[in-house]
Amino acid sequence: MSAASDYLEQALLEHFRGTQLPLPSNFFIALHTSDPTDAALAGTEVSTANWPSYVRQTVGTPLSSAWTASSDEAGGGKQITNANTINFPANNGASSVVVTHFSVRDAQNGGNMWAHAPLTAPKTIDPTDIFSAIPGALRLIVR
């Protein structure tokens, strides 16, 4: 199941106090080799030392069509999924990279993590392989 980051949780609480929740013009998908947790732990995102061409990928614009409309999910919550295929460049490193989680970020570099979730199953990206998330593959759930 996906989780809101500490950044998003704090921003939502501040929104109740009248502070506008800043909406970025775009969101980016980051891949992780372990759970980044709500705290957006450093060192969990794929390293360019292992996958030199790795870079976060845009979800697409406008945001209203980058994600599906919210719908019911089996566990009683609501969900959205990526509406577009999101392709990462080929792994041009010397070794395989095992991706276990993804996160949604508000910048291609740095920025804030808004949410994170595990992949359905870990994915090994061998040298020359690409990671491609077909529509519906990345799911964010709120319960």
Side-chain angles (χ1 to χ4, degrees):
M1 183 170 113
S2 60
S5 68
D6 290 347
Y7 168 79
L8 180 57
E9 291 169 351
Q10 180 179 352
L12 284 172
L13 291 173
E14 292 300 320
H15 188 71
F16 285 111
R17 298 182 59 233
T19 302
Q20 188 82 16
L21 178 62
L23 184 61
S25 60
N26 204 343
F27 282 109
F28 297 85
I29 300 299
L31 300 177
H32 297 268
T33 57
S34 62
D35 186 355
T37 75
D38 295 357
L41 291 178
T44 65
E45 188 171 357
V46 168
S47 166
T48 55
N50 298 327
W51 183 347
S53 63
Y54 169 81
V55 63
R56 295 175 188 167
Q57 298 298 304
T58 178
V59 297
T61 56
L63 291 177
S64 60
S65 62
W67 299 96
T68 59
S70 63
S71 63
D72 294 336
E73 65 89 31
K78 297 288 184 183
Q79 68 176 356
I80 61 172
T81 62
N82 60 304
N84 305 310
T85 298
I86 300 170
N87 290 315
F88 285 78
N91 175 2
N92 59 342
S95 61
S96 300
V97 175
V98 178
V99 176
T100 62
H101 291 74
F102 74 95
S103 65
V104 179
R105 305 277 183 146
D106 60 13
Q108 193 165 35
N109 296 297
N112 301 294
M113 182 177 78
W114 286 54
H116 62 97
L119 299 176
T120 305
K123 173 69 176 154
T124 300
I125 313 298
D126 292 320
T128 73
D129 285 356
I130 65 166
F131 180 92
S132 183
I134 62 171
L138 305 178
R139 188 166 69 142
L140 298 174
I141 300 170
V142 176
R143 288 190 186 136

